[in-house]
């Protein structure tokens, strides 16, 4: 049922129709899926759409075959009753949609029966026996799951409402929809009014119940918070949870998850209150958020920023749904490039349109660009800098993480970076230590090793001072202190990012310049310059977590250990086994490895005020891991002791290993020389790449207590 | 030029046209590629064929652009001159073929110029400066490369011969083709007359020179050996190098390589001497060899039997060529299923036909079957047993290696096994320790670790007695003592293989029964029973090399080590780091891991005459590997001390991990109980798989000094 938009618009106070008196006939459906979607779907055929339609019918038919199974809540996440209630809301959604598409009453009957079964049980439920302390649910152990359940269930209800008698509607509303909505709103104000994605699920659920049942009080609370002050609720969440560039501070893994209730509820608002122009709100923040999560991916998988399980990517349901809604709003044909990779479309008008574009071979390539994604609601909490060359499936991507902490799921990894190339993770981030839904792995929760390893600084490609984590791994401190994105330039020859953090370690200032150089004829390569200033002498560790088989290195006095011992006792070092170490020269150390069919060479040196000897240590994970929870990832650490030092390097992809055709080309680094020198205005790092040319990274603007603030790349032909 | 077949047929002695007097006009080409191929190619278009034609044109055009570069031989394998001479023969072949297809003289001119350049240099060459001791080459460091060079070059010559003047032909023959052929035949009798694939390359090269130039003496020597006695040469190689099932004792990796000269030379014989019916020789041994190498693969890659680099598979050039020739002979439509996976076809009449089948969507699935491949020329040197369920790309495949040693490239791994499932290697074989063509890795040769690890028994999934390798890793001994394939049955419910080796360890008899059980509704699973008899007490280690992340195990008193130490000093153990160990019960130990989106559970126990405690040890490779040559593979070892013992187990794939849709199903083993009992007639292993049923492996026929000789599987519903 549509709430006449003038009421909301003219009254300002949205409480004209409070209470349960709302049994006027609905012109269903009118939430995320509306009449126009159904019309488009009924007329469509072929392509990905056909496949998605068949998938939905299969799901709905399987649900009907299984029948109504609504068990008494008992199990925690991953357990039987938990999974069954999850299956149920998806089943109801699929069957209700199938009813809309086919008009067959067996589907609406199934949904009605299920809703009635829940309506019978819900009022009798206490809190879940396995309840989470702060946010207990009734059907589920945590209220978050209950909100997700309601977001799906209210849509199912909305799609079968036409088939219900007024009495049936009243029964379901009063015994199920309203009680759940009440429990999720006034029953859990700490969640409902929280500026957090859990709050968004609750707000979306309650707001959609409001639209579907005419309960404007729910809608108003959803939009402006329980007290209607606007200090919480959907608008405030839109204001606070995304940066002006649409970046969600927890990173794309959670952004994808958080996006679903935002986008769905926004679509429901658009359907019911088009004059609110919700998709234009805050300069189109929701569309920016969708585009951003698309862009924060490589070869189909999300960049593992903060807590992120690395098998998740653009094929997720959330992004399939969001994509179709975005297309519906924008008609941006390049979104079809994403749908192509998703290999399915959502069942909506947008999905129909995307499917048609793909079927007619009219896909426009998505224009991935080198750019920064500012962090923080105001955009002043640092940024994630992405530098790209080539396409997003096989090209080169450098990610410089100069963001804020990212709240509770954040890692202590200011100024860390990642490299993607040739379809692979090359310089890697561990992501989260978690096996989602695998009960044997600590019930599918975050593992202890997520704290002891994955969040620690040394688990990332960033500076570690005196073997401690940034901010001493104190979340409260870390939350206050974002990195700075000092500069970012994107050009034809090179993209350059400068990040800085002077608060991660007491008395240590640390600036990182990263550049992706894009020569015309050969693979792009990366220059990385880490400038560290301190008044005191420290041990500096710069880890490089890389993927692949070591081919060779040129370290002197290399010792290979036959007994592998842990490299420390805490801060992540307790998990690292030392397998070998050698002396690093001050310049032109080189490590080459092979990943897939391509070689990678890391050439590095340092410029320091002390002549203390530098070492390179090779490690692998596995110590203090009694439950085999960690992947056996490897890496190298550059270690030296100094006060002020510049650690520079070049990473270059090169050559080809072809096992099928039995040839190898360019197995050796192209780099001829790598020279760092201090100049009057700053410093220069000159990279002689042989025939490819000589490239000089010119740094300026820094002084003794701060790294460079400006950078450019100059090329000469050799 | 065709040698009239009656001469060969009627004379018996094939030396009527000796000498260089052979400048009659050739009806070219008439070796592997003949007039009928060219006709078919000129008429064809579209599909894979089109693509392959474009690839050839691109290769030929690139060669013309590069021009004639014939450097003085200097570098070993992988080095510049080595690679350039390799590029040259491929370039000549591509350009010559392009001349046949287009008639454009620039292509024939390029080939002629290149041949002349070689003809100028070759007579002045001594042995290669980096020559291999036993088998030196002139253009290359080893004569094998020189033979390969000639096999390609003579075909290129044959395809441009029409464009040459008699004088040009004479010059090229006398200064290049005959000198190389002479060097490879009478110049290297130790290779030419050897029953070995290196001999086949030499024989094929010399024989094809014979056909192309009318030098029947070359043809005769190629077919029957230098002394024409028939004790060596092509026929003898066909007799000796393949088993009656077409299995090549070194395994599919080398079979693929060895196949090329066999198949090409056979095709040249067929073209020139069709009455020899070479493809019917020895009951069609060459076709069997082609089919066998196709079948000894999983998901596109060859099974890593013996020395094998694991990235090699059915897409290799050799198999693309062999497939088209096989189709040309057999018209077997199921070969198109292989061409589909190869994603290209050879430029030949067979290639044209295969491309057409694929383009018209008429591919017939290749009928992979459970079967044994007997080893040894007589078929009495054991066998490789393959048990299959489902297709060869995502189905289940068990490989039981009950073969002979496989000569110098063989591993000490009698009765080892491998498991493939869901597109992955699950229970793995290390393959070879080698980075082919990667100069930094010991020049691309086999690494020292190939001997110290990859060949050793503990590097395989087979029994290790007292931490020594089978036959004490004595190749001469091992060559004499094949395993026995005691029995093999293939049925609807189960395939069963029984292998035995009583000579690998002094005083230890060892039989292995493996069964692939194929229930109707769920994933197939494997039963493995290792029966060991000895009069003395030994330490028995049974390694399981597996791929994936350990989820959990139920070992008691598990110790996880934070310092990883080598597990021994030699026989491969020096490379293994012990990361944890626990006590194994006598029955129902369980280890579960996750690989891709599927779980695997290994449930195991033992039945022994001693009650010595059994342990399970988890290890990973990495010790004594100063050059980072080994992959960091992992595994578990079951260890116990006994004289007579039966070690049994079940491995089952189960469930699904879906990270995209966030669900997990059947994460736990289905196995309810696993009981081994001795019966009057032998023994029974009963596997209760819950709803799937109860399966009993009934073993019979063995006595105290020999394991079972008969086995069957019986199923009951639960």
């Amino acid at each position: 049922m549509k709430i006449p938009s003038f009421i909301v618009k003219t009254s300002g106070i949205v409480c004209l129709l409070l209470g349960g008196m709302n049994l006027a006939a609905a012109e269903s459906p009118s939430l995320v899926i509306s009449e126009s979607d159904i019309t488009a779907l009924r007329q469509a055929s072929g392509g990905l759409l056909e496949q998605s339609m068949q998938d939905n019918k299969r799901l709905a038919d399987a649900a009907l075959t299984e029948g109504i199974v609504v068990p008494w809540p008992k199990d925690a996440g991953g357990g039987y009753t938990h999974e069954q209630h999850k299956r149920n809301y998806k089943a109801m959604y699929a069957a209700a949609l199938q009813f809309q598409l086919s008009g067959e009453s067996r589907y609406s009957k199934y949904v009605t029966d299920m809703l009635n079964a829940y309506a019978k049980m819900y009022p009798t439920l206490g809190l879940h026996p396995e309840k989470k302390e702060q946010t207990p649910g009734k059907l589920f152990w945590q209220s978050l799951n209950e909100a997700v359940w309601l977001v799906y269930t209210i849509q199912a209800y909305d799609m079968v409402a036409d088939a219900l008698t007024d009495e049936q509607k009243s029964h379901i509303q009063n015994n199920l929809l309203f009680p759940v909505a009440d429990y999720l709103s006034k029953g859990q104000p700490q969640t409902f009014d929280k500026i957090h994605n859990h709050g968004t699920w609750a707000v979306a659920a309650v707001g959609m119940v409001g639209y579907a049942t005419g309960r404007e009080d729910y809608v108003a609370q959803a939009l402006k918070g329980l007290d209607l002050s606007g200090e919480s609720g959907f608008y405030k969440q839109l204001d606070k949870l995304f940066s002006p560039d649409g970046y969600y501070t927890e990173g794309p893994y959670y952004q994808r998850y958080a996006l679903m209730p935002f986008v769905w509820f926004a679509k429901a608002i658009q359907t019911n209150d088009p004059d609110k122009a919700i998709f234009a709100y805050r300069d189109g923040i929701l569309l920016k958020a969708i585009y951003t999560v698309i862009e924060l991916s490589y070869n189909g998988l999300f960049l593992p920023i903060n807590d992120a399980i690395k098998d998740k990517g653009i094929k997720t349901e959330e992004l399939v749904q969001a994509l179709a809604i975005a297309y519906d709003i924008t008609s941006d044909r390049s979104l079809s490039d994403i749908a192509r990779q998703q290999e399915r479309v959502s069942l909506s008008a947008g999905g129909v349109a995307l499917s048609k574009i793909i079927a007619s071979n009219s896909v426009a390539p998505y224009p991935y660009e080198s750019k920064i994604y500012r962090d923080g609601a105001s955009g002043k909490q640092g940024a994630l800098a992405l530098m790209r060359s080539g396409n997003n499936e096989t090209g080169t991507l450098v990610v410089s993480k100069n963001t804020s902490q990212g709240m509770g799921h954040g890692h202590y990894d200011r100024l860390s970076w990642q490299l993607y190339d040739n379809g692979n993770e090359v310089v890697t981030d561990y992501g989260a230590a978690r096996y989602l839904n695998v009960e044997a792995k600590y019930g599918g929760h975050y593992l202890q090793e997520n704290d002891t390893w994955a969040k620690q600084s040394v688990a990332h490609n960033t500076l570690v001072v005196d073997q401690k984590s940034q901010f001493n791994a104190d979340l409260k401190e870390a939350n206050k202190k974002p990195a700075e994105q000092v500069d970012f330039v994107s050009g034809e020859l090179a993209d350059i990012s400068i990040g800085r953090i002077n608060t991660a370690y007491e008395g240590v200032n640390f600036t990182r310049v990263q550049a992706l150089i894009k020569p015309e004829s050969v693979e792009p390569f990366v220059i990385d310059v880490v400038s560290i200033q301190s008044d005191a002498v420290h041990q500096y560790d710069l880890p490089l977590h890389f993927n692949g088989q070591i081919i060779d290195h040129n370290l002197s006095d290399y010792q290979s250990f036959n007994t592998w011992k842990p490299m420390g006792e805490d801060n992540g070092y307790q998990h690292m086994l030392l397998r070998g170490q050698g002396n690093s020269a001050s310049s032109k150390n080189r490590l080459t490895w092979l990943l897939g069919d391509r070689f990678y060479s890391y050439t590095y040196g340092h410029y320091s005020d002390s002549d203390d000897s530098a070492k390179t240590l090779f490690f692998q994970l596995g110590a203090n891991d009694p439950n085999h929870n960690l992947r056996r990832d490897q890496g190298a650490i550059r270690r030296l002791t100094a006060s002020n030092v510049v650690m520079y390097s070049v990473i270059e992809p090169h050559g080809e290993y072809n096992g099928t055709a039995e040839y190898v080309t360019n197995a050796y680094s192209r780099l001829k020389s790598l020279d760092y020198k201090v100049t009057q205005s700053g410093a220069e790092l000159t990279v002689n790449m042989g025939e490819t040319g000589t490239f000089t990274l010119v740094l300026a603007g820094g002084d003794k207590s701060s790294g460079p603030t400006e950078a450019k790349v100059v090329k000469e032909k050799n």
Side-chain angles (χ1 to χ4, degrees), chain A:
Chain A
M1 173 181 159
K2 244 180 205 170
I3 298 174
S5 59
F6 74 88
I7 296 182
V8 177
K9 277 178 70 191
T10 56
S11 71
I13 304 167
V14 197
C15 49
L16 302 183
L17 292 168
L18 286 183
M21 312 289 93
N22 40 49
L23 301 180
E27 52 172 55
S28 113
S30 63
L31 289 174
V32 180
I33 299 288
S34 63
E35 208 56 46
S36 62
D37 294 293
I38 299 302
T39 308
L41 285 167
R42 284 189 180 148
Q43 291 164 356
S45 68
L48 291 179
L49 199 271
E50 183 91 26
Q51 220 170 288
S52 294
M53 301 254 274
Q54 283 168 7
D55 287 347
N56 190 71
K57 182 166 191 310
R58 205 172 301 123
L59 201 59
D61 289 347
L64 266 59
T65 303
E66 190 188 330
I68 309 297
V69 181
V70 178
W72 191 260
K74 177 173 154 288
D75 301 325
Y80 166 71
T81 68
H82 180 94
E83 294 301 319
Q84 182 60 32
H85 289 300
K86 278 172 69 177
R87 269 193 294 277
N88 281 350
Y89 67 65
K90 290 187 178 170
M92 282 192 278
Y93 183 93
L97 182 53
Q98 204 54 37
F99 169 66
Q100 284 291 332
L101 296 175
S102 70
E104 292 176 63
S105 61
R106 59 196 179 109
Y107 295 114
S108 58
K109 180 174 182 312
Y110 168 83
V111 177
T112 310
D113 289 350
M114 179 82 82
L115 289 169
N116 282 327
Y118 274 110
K120 187 172 173 189
M121 185 175 76
Y122 199 83
T124 72
L125 290 178
L127 293 183
H128 193 280
E130 299 283 337
K131 64 176 184 284
K132 285 206 172 177
E133 241 1 273
Q134 302 304 314
T135 54
K138 291 179 168 186
L139 285 170
F140 296 91
W141 65 335
Q142 60 173 340
S143 58
L144 171 62
N145 299 106
E146 205 125 324
V148 176
W149 180 93
L150 185 54
V151 163
Y152 280 85
T153 300
I154 187 60
Q155 294 186 72
Y157 169 86
D158 182 53
M159 288 190 278
V160 300
D162 269 357
L164 300 175
T165 63
D166 284 356
E167 196 182 355
Q168 283 176 316
K169 284 189 210 171
S170 175
H171 177 70
I172 293 165
Q173 289 178 9
N174 290 321
N175 290 284
L176 183 63
L177 301 177
F178 298 159
V180 184
D182 288 342
Y183 178 68
L184 292 173
S185 53
K186 64 189 177 200
Q188 294 231 335
Q190 71 278 26
T191 300
F192 189 83
D193 277 353
K194 198 172 179 182
I195 307 302
H196 185 279
N197 77 74
H198 292 194
T200 313
W201 280 103
V203 158
V206 172
M208 284 162 77
V209 170
Y211 281 127
T213 64
R215 282 282 299 263
E216 299 217 354
D217 55 334
Y218 284 149
V219 172
Q221 288 176 332
L223 293 173
K224 302 204 166 178
L226 281 175
D227 66 0
L228 305 181
S229 70
E231 286 307 300
S232 57
F234 194 62
Y235 283 118
K236 200 70 180 180
Q237 289 171 352
L238 284 172
D239 290 341
K240 292 291 180 193
L241 287 178
F242 297 102
S243 83
D245 296 327
Y247 178 73
Y248 181 75
T249 192
E250 291 185 314
Y253 175 86
Y254 276 101
Q255 178 154 355
R256 169 267 330 164
Y257 184 68
L259 208 53
M260 187 81 148
F262 272 109
V263 173
W264 266 2
F265 188 37
K267 182 82 192 312
I269 296 170
Q270 175 77 8
T271 301
N272 290 279
D273 281 337
D275 293 349
K276 284 203 157 65
I278 190 73
F279 284 101
Y281 184 77
R282 203 187 161 202
D283 202 17
I285 192 67
L286 270 178
L287 293 170
K288 284 183 184 168
I290 296 171
Y291 278 77
T292 290
V293 75
I294 288 170
E295 290 165 11
L296 297 184
S297 69
Y298 181 78
N299 199 14
L301 297 178
F302 294 131
L303 305 176
I305 303 294
N306 299 323
D307 280 347
I309 300 174
K310 297 209 271 192
D311 51 25
K312 190 85 71 184
I314 58 166
K315 289 189 177 185
T316 45
E317 179 65 19
E318 295 89 344
L319 208 50
V320 171
Q321 295 282 343
L323 195 79
I325 290 172
Y327 184 83
D328 213 33
I329 306 291
T330 62
S331 300
D332 175 354
R333 202 154 55 86
S334 77
L335 295 176
S336 62
D337 194 19
I338 311 303
R340 170 187 66 76
Q341 294 173 66
Q342 290 175 334
E343 294 173 336
R344 63 200 179 97
V345 292
S346 89
L347 293 178
S348 64
V352 171
L354 289 166
S355 175
K356 273 186 193 158
I357 294 171
I358 294 169
S360 65
N361 283 318
S362 312
V363 170
Y366 188 92
Y368 293 94
E369 280 174 14
S370 296
K371 61 181 277 201
I372 57 166
Y373 300 83
R374 287 172 293 166
D375 192 6
S378 61
K380 291 176 181 164
Q381 304 269 300
L384 197 68
L386 268 64
M387 298 176 273
R388 295 175 176 280
S389 170
N391 70 42
N392 195 42
E393 287 164 85
T394 61
T396 307
L397 167 62
V398 174
V399 180
S400 302
K401 185 174 188 264
N402 306 325
T403 66
S404 73
Q405 180 68 16
M407 307 196 292
H409 288 299
H411 288 193
Y412 302 99
D413 65 346
R414 303 285 193 283
L415 274 50
S416 181
W417 75 293
Q418 304 168 20
L419 171 64
Y420 300 84
D421 184 62
N422 197 28
N424 295 313
E425 292 179 83
V426 180
V427 175
T428 67
D429 191 292
Y430 190 86
R434 184 184 191 186
Y435 298 86
L436 188 65
N437 296 320
V438 179
E439 215 174 42
K441 286 294 195 196
Y442 191 51
H445 301 283
Y446 283 101
L447 296 163
Q448 185 186 310
E449 289 77 9
N450 195 56
D451 285 326
T452 61
W453 169 252
K455 286 188 171 182
Q456 299 295 326
S457 298
V458 76
H460 303 84
N461 303 296
T462 190
L463 182 71
V464 184
V465 177
D466 298 329
Q467 297 200 36
K468 295 193 188 326
S469 280
Q470 298 176 353
F471 311 103
N472 264 313
D474 179 331
L475 180 60
K476 220 172 133 189
E477 278 305 298
N479 274 338
K480 294 179 202 159
K481 293 165 177 170
E484 295 168 69
Q485 182 72 42
V486 176
D487 198 12
F488 183 82
V489 286
S490 173
E492 201 168 317
L493 174 62
D495 301 328
I496 309 174
S497 162
I498 306 181
R500 182 165 56 200
I501 181 82
N502 291 347
T503 55
Y505 294 101
E506 176 97 33
V508 179
N509 292 348
F510 153 37
T511 302
R512 186 165 213 161
V513 182
Q514 298 204 295
L516 177 65
I517 318 294
K518 300 173 273 190
E520 282 143 37
S521 50
V522 299
E523 295 93 343
F525 63 92
V526 180
I527 300 178
D528 178 39
V529 180
V530 175
S531 304
I532 308 161
Q533 291 93 24
S534 179
D535 290 335
V537 169
H538 296 280
Q539 178 187 293
Y540 296 125
D541 279 359
L542 191 62
L544 185 80
H545 301 263
F546 63 94
N547 216 346
Q549 179 78 34
I550 292 178
I551 295 298
D552 68 351
H553 60 74
N554 65 354
L555 300 172
S556 61
D557 295 319
Y558 185 73
Q559 291 175 275
S560 177
F561 299 115
N562 293 326
T563 294
W564 294 8
K565 294 180 185 161
M567 288 175 67
E569 293 184 356
D570 46 20
N571 304 320
Y573 285 84
Q574 73 274 28
H575 295 297
M576 300 160 72
L577 293 155
L578 183 63
R579 70 166 296 175
Q581 65 181 33
N583 293 332
S584 313
S586 63
S587 71
K588 249 199 125 179
N589 304 287
R590 188 189 30 71
L591 167 65
T592 299
W593 68 90
L594 175 64
L595 174 61
D597 61 359
R598 197 168 285 181
F599 297 91
Y600 295 87
S601 283
Y602 181 63
T603 309
Y604 58 100
H606 62 275
Y607 177 89
S608 168
D609 58 0
S610 99
D611 56 6
D612 194 272
S613 64
K615 288 191 185 312
T616 300
L617 302 89
F618 291 103
F619 68 89
Q620 188 209 288
L621 297 188
N624 286 289
D625 180 21
N627 300 317
H628 296 78
N629 282 343
L630 292 172
R631 291 192 308 271
R632 294 174 294 115
D633 289 2
Q634 67 172 359
I637 283 190
R638 296 166 60 181
R639 173 172 291 176
L640 49 77
T641 303
S643 49
N644 298 309
V645 65
V646 176
M647 299 170 88
Y648 56 86
S649 63
V650 165
I651 291 199
E652 41 158 346
H654 56 89
E656 182 184 358
Y657 169 88
N658 189 320
T660 298
E662 288 195 352
Y663 64 79
V664 162
T665 59
N666 298 317
Y668 294 103
S669 166
R670 290 188 300 267
L671 190 147
K672 303 297 174 216
S673 67
L674 177 62
D675 298 299
Y676 183 88
K677 68 167 185 237
V678 173
T679 61
Q680 278 200 323
S681 54
E684 291 182 4
L685 181 66
T686 301
V687 190
N688 180 335
M689 295 295 276
E691 288 175 15
T692 310
T694 293
F695 302 81
T696 300
L697 177 69
V698 181
L699 302 172
D703 58 25
K704 205 175 149 41
S705 67
S706 125
T709 55
E710 293 167 39
K712 66 177 176 182
V713 172
V714 178
K715 179 183 175 183
E716 288 169 73
K717 291 262 179 229
N718 283 353

